[in-house]
Amino acid sequence: MTYFLADIYPYVLSFHIMAVLSWMAGLFYLPRLFVYHAERATEGDQLDETLKIMEFKLQRYIMSPASIAAWAAGLALVCTPGVVDWTAVWPYTKGACILAMTAFDHWLMIMRKRFARGENKLSGRAYRMMNEVPTLLMIVIVLSVVVKF
């Protein structure tokens, strides 16, 4: 199995990068939709209904499949011989940030369901601030992988 993973490494890495890019696009965009939803929509109006549909489709059809694909390819990369130096710090910082990114994704799922039920309690400002979380995590992840500290 390890020889097979080594042979397909460039393809798995490419797939991982594409999946992460798709997942990150959603992680950046969904909180922005929440800002508009919290600030401009009124329960039951046309904008409210439109944003509910957009949020649902973004999460269900783009973010969820992309996160699953990113995790699957990432785990395959971890199992590929020679890819990860477990004596270094970077795999652990990246791993911690990936877990935080996944937790953030699940928080977004909860918030989307609250909007769908008309139970949102957070302001547009709060969602603007939360919109920075994936950026900070992405910076640490990229530095971890590229610099390999």
Side-chain angles (χ1 to χ4, degrees):
M1 180 66 165
T2 58
Y3 294 116
F4 175 71
L5 289 174
D7 289 342
I8 64 168
Y9 170 78
Y11 300 101
V12 174
L13 180 61
S14 299
F15 183 70
H16 180 64
I17 292 169
M18 289 182 277
V20 169
L21 284 170
S22 298
W23 187 25
M24 291 300 302
L27 290 172
F28 291 139
Y29 189 48
L30 189 56
R32 178 55 49 189
L33 288 176
F34 290 166
V35 169
Y36 298 137
H37 206 153
E39 291 181 350
R40 298 185 182 168
T42 305
E43 182 63 30
D45 72 2
Q46 185 175 358
L47 181 58
D48 177 57
E49 296 305 317
T50 300
L51 288 169
K52 285 178 184 177
I53 291 167
M54 291 173 67
E55 292 159 359
F56 174 80
K57 287 185 176 185
L58 175 62
Q59 196 164 54
R60 178 63 56 92
Y61 300 120
I62 296 172
M63 293 173 66
S64 291
S67 69
I68 292 166
W71 266 96
L75 291 173
L77 291 171
V78 165
C79 294
T80 304
V83 172
V84 179
D85 175 11
W86 294 106
T87 63
V89 174
W90 73 267
Y92 303 100
T93 57
K94 179 183 179 186
C97 288
I98 291 166
L99 291 174
M101 192 89 72
T102 302
F104 181 72
D105 187 19
H106 286 267
W107 179 80
L108 290 173
M109 286 182 208
I110 292 166
M111 295 301 105
R112 185 197 58 77
K113 288 176 183 176
R114 286 186 184 166
F115 271 113
R117 292 189 306 261
E119 298 172 358
N120 175 56
K121 301 283 190 254
L122 297 178
S123 68
R125 184 173 189 276
Y127 289 116
R128 262 192 207 87
M129 290 172 44
M130 292 307 290
N131 201 29
E132 302 308 319
V133 170
T135 302
L136 297 173
L137 292 170
M138 178 198 61
I139 290 168
V140 175
I141 290 169
V142 171
L143 287 174
S144 296
V145 173
V146 174
V147 176
K148 296 194 186 304
F149 45 78

